[in-house]
Amino acid sequence: MRESRKAYSASEGVRKAYLRSLADPKSRIDPRIHSGMEDLIIDAKMLADAASGLVYRKYTIEESGGPADPALPFELSVPVWVRTREDTLRIEHSRDGATWTTVYEKIADFRDPSTIFPYPVEIPKDQDAMRVDGTHYFRSWIMNYQGDTSWSDPLTLIFDRDPPYSHATPVKFPDIPVVTDDSLKVGAKLKLPAYTGGAPGDQVLVYWMSHIPEKIEDLDPPIVTLPTTGAEQELSIPEDKIRAVGDGGVYALYLLVDKALNISALSVWTSIPVALGELPTAFGDPEVPLATAADGFLIDQADAQLGVEVWVPWQEHIKATDTVVVTWGSIELPAETVGSANKEFIQIKVPEETLLRAYGSNEGPLPTNVSYVLNRGTHPVGGADTDINVDFETMDPGGPSPEWPLPIHPGLEPVVVRGRGAASGENELDDDDAGLPADLEVELYSFAKENDELEFYWAGELATTYTVSDTDKPNDTILVVAPWAVIEKGGNGPAIPVNYRASRPGVHNPVHATPTDVLVDAITITPVAATFNHLVRGMITCASIQASNGHVGGPAVEVLIPDLTEYHQFSAFTKIQAKWWVYRGETDDLGFDVIDAVTLDVSIDIDDEHPITGFTWRIPYATNVLPTHEGNTDPRFNSSRANVQYILKTGKGDIESIEARVDLAFMPPSGVCDPAGGAI
């Protein structure tokens, strides 16, 4: 009975095992079939480390990381298998080697002769299973037409897309002292800070640049590439690389790259002063040319209008790429490159707004320090300073006008000019005003005070002054007189400037009114007389004629027409009329009988041959001088009286010059003058 129960129990176990086998079809497949598939193949170029199966980052990222990190397909290859007319090919993935999910599937007839083996499979990287870093297992799984399945052993790969420092910014290089020729003798070194997670195969790429890169694409090639394990380490910078970049503010920064070519963020840059070459050692004081001992080293509003400069003396061993930083008072000006300075001074303009801001609301002279620093790169090599005074105090309690440093103040009304002639108009002087003074009227400005002095100018010439009295009030009309002598000196013109300036005792900077343009056409002129060349005792003699004979035009009386430039202000002209006539006899008591045969009356254009600055008019000897000796037996008629006048042909009419007179006494005792030689 006991044997019978044992047999029944054994049979029951077999039956249960059989039922389990029906529920699990895989247990009925010959294990030798399962293990017959060859392993998946991965191209060696995709592996950063073949021993561990570490895959380069660029094959595991979905999108391009930029030009330096392009995304490439993640591809595995399936070795050839026993194919049927319809096979199902899967690539399965697992994180633990036990649970598998399908990441690729294709159903096809793989027997086509064109099918390449090992069969390449590009696995999409946008699947959740593919996005995790760490160990990944891949195997091929194939089911044939008959329903038989086979799979390969796992291919173990490692994905690593986390760069050193993860996604944080690496710590910057610590600062180092200035790099000079002397310091390069012992070498320039940077200290790479330690970082966590360092691993064999990590590298540091060091950049030494003259500009700050905003992104990785802006980087120059690295000057040093070295392995690192994450510990703090000292990095030597090659001297030739330092000299190639030159003086700076050089910016040193780095990237970390691991074995999978994950690139860290760009480190914060470290500014390193670099000053190469021989350095200046002597520094002269700066100069402010408009502030000298003659004016108590003072800069005022008129200087500001002209343009204030600081002149930095040229130093021995200075470089064109060096920079100079000037400080005016407490305000530092932007650095200026030395460049092609004249080897005596580096001239630096001080902006008007800097001048005014440094002076502030002070009154009277303000002691102001002016200094400079010479920099090579960002390294201050040396400098010097000087002290001056600045006075921008204004009469206006409201402060400098918007036009500052122009002296024109909008609160000063312009002058109104009135002539005293019968037909005079406002701001016009005509013929009726000739010889008369002019009245100048002005409305007194709002901030006028007793003892303010007003100086009135006509064409830049001081015409008159007026001192504000205790009875004068703002907006009162002030009347002063411009003398005719000043008006006449200013000349005619369509816009003669008339203005005034106001000054106050104790206030250095005067204020000016806008000039009034006055139409002046009240001045008549008489051009000066012409003169004669080669005179002998004030006369035209035979020697005078001989002195002119070397001219291509032959002998002549040479008349000098003077510089006519000044007469243009009265009325423009482009030609003159010139006259020559001769009276018989040596003295006026012999009458004024004109020798008609020698008279000249010609028009002369003002041109290159006859410039407005003056020219010579030649009276031909043979035709217009010699015939004046007519053979009269009376010796009083052996000489005669020549006359010259020129006339300006202006738009306003003819303007005649003063007549010029000279005695013609060219006959020697022999009675014959040889222009080519001596008297006969």
Side-chain angles (χ1 to χ4, degrees), residues 424-504:
S424 295
E426 188 175 289
N427 299 329
E428 292 184 1
L429 298 181
D430 56 22
D431 293 345
D432 291 340
D433 300 301
L436 301 175
D439 294 323
L440 310 182
E441 297 177 2
V442 66
E443 184 179 306
L444 198 58
Y445 45 94
S446 63
F447 49 89
K449 288 185 176 181
E450 183 182 358
N451 294 325
D452 282 0
E453 185 170 88
L454 279 59
E455 297 173 309
F456 293 83
Y457 293 86
W458 188 286
E461 189 78 13
L462 180 63
T464 188
T465 62
Y466 180 86
T467 301
V468 177
S469 70
D470 58 350
T471 59
D472 290 328
K473 300 293 185 291
N475 303 319
D476 285 354
T477 297
I478 302 300
L479 177 63
V480 295
V481 176
W484 171 253
V486 175
I487 297 171
E488 183 178 35
K489 185 175 182 180
N492 290 333
I496 301 300
V498 178
N499 69 330
Y500 68 100
R501 74 173 188 177
S503 59
R504 179 173 296 162

Side-chain angles (χ1 to χ4, degrees), residues 443-652:
E443 184 179 306
L444 198 58
Y445 45 94
S446 63
F447 49 89
K449 288 185 176 181
E450 183 182 358
N451 294 325
D452 282 0
E453 185 170 88
L454 279 59
E455 297 173 309
F456 293 83
Y457 293 86
W458 188 286
E461 189 78 13
L462 180 63
T464 188
T465 62
Y466 180 86
T467 301
V468 177
S469 70
D470 58 350
T471 59
D472 290 328
K473 300 293 185 291
N475 303 319
D476 285 354
T477 297
I478 302 300
L479 177 63
V480 295
V481 176
W484 171 253
V486 175
I487 297 171
E488 183 178 35
K489 185 175 182 180
N492 290 333
I496 301 300
V498 178
N499 69 330
Y500 68 100
R501 74 173 188 177
S503 59
R504 179 173 296 162
V507 177
H508 181 77
N509 299 288
V511 290
H512 296 240
T514 301
T516 297
D517 291 334
V518 180
L519 171 60
V520 179
D521 192 16
I523 301 166
T524 58
I525 60 168
T526 302
V528 298
T531 57
F532 299 90
N533 205 8
H534 309 305
L535 295 182
V536 178
R537 295 182 181 178
M539 298 179 288
I540 299 294
T541 68
C542 186
S544 304
I545 301 301
Q546 290 168 348
S548 72
N549 192 44
H551 191 274
V552 66
V557 171
E558 294 184 338
V559 179
L560 304 179
I561 304 298
D563 186 347
L564 308 176
T565 304
E566 65 174 298
Y567 305 126
H568 251 284
Q569 66 176 306
F570 302 102
S571 183
F573 55 91
T574 59
K575 62 177 58 183
I576 67 169
Q577 182 181 353
K579 296 182 179 181
W580 162 271
W581 70 98
V582 180
Y583 298 129
R584 290 183 175 89
E586 61 185 15
T587 59
D588 288 352
D589 60 0
L590 296 176
F592 297 92
D593 190 12
V594 176
I595 305 173
D596 293 331
V598 300
T599 298
L600 288 175
D601 190 345
V602 299
S603 177
I604 301 175
D605 291 331
I606 302 299
D607 52 23
D608 291 342
E609 187 177 352
H610 306 95
I612 196 170
T613 53
F615 57 89
T616 301
W617 180 35
R618 305 186 86 252
I619 311 299
Y621 173 71
T623 57
N624 298 87
V625 180
L626 181 60
T628 62
H629 194 267
E630 298 174 309
N632 194 315
T633 57
D634 186 340
R636 293 178 301 167
F637 290 90
N638 285 337
S639 59
S640 54
R641 292 154 287 154
N643 305 273
V644 168
Q645 185 182 44
Y646 61 91
I647 301 168
L648 308 181
K649 310 297 284 186
T650 77
K652 294 182 179 180

Side-chain angles (χ1 to χ4, degrees), residues 92-97 100 135-139 154-157:
E92 293 185 325
H93 170 270
S94 175
R95 292 302 311 283
D96 58 7
W100 297 87
T135 303
H136 293 256
Y137 302 98
F138 295 90
R139 73 182 184 184
L155 171 66
T156 303
L157 299 176

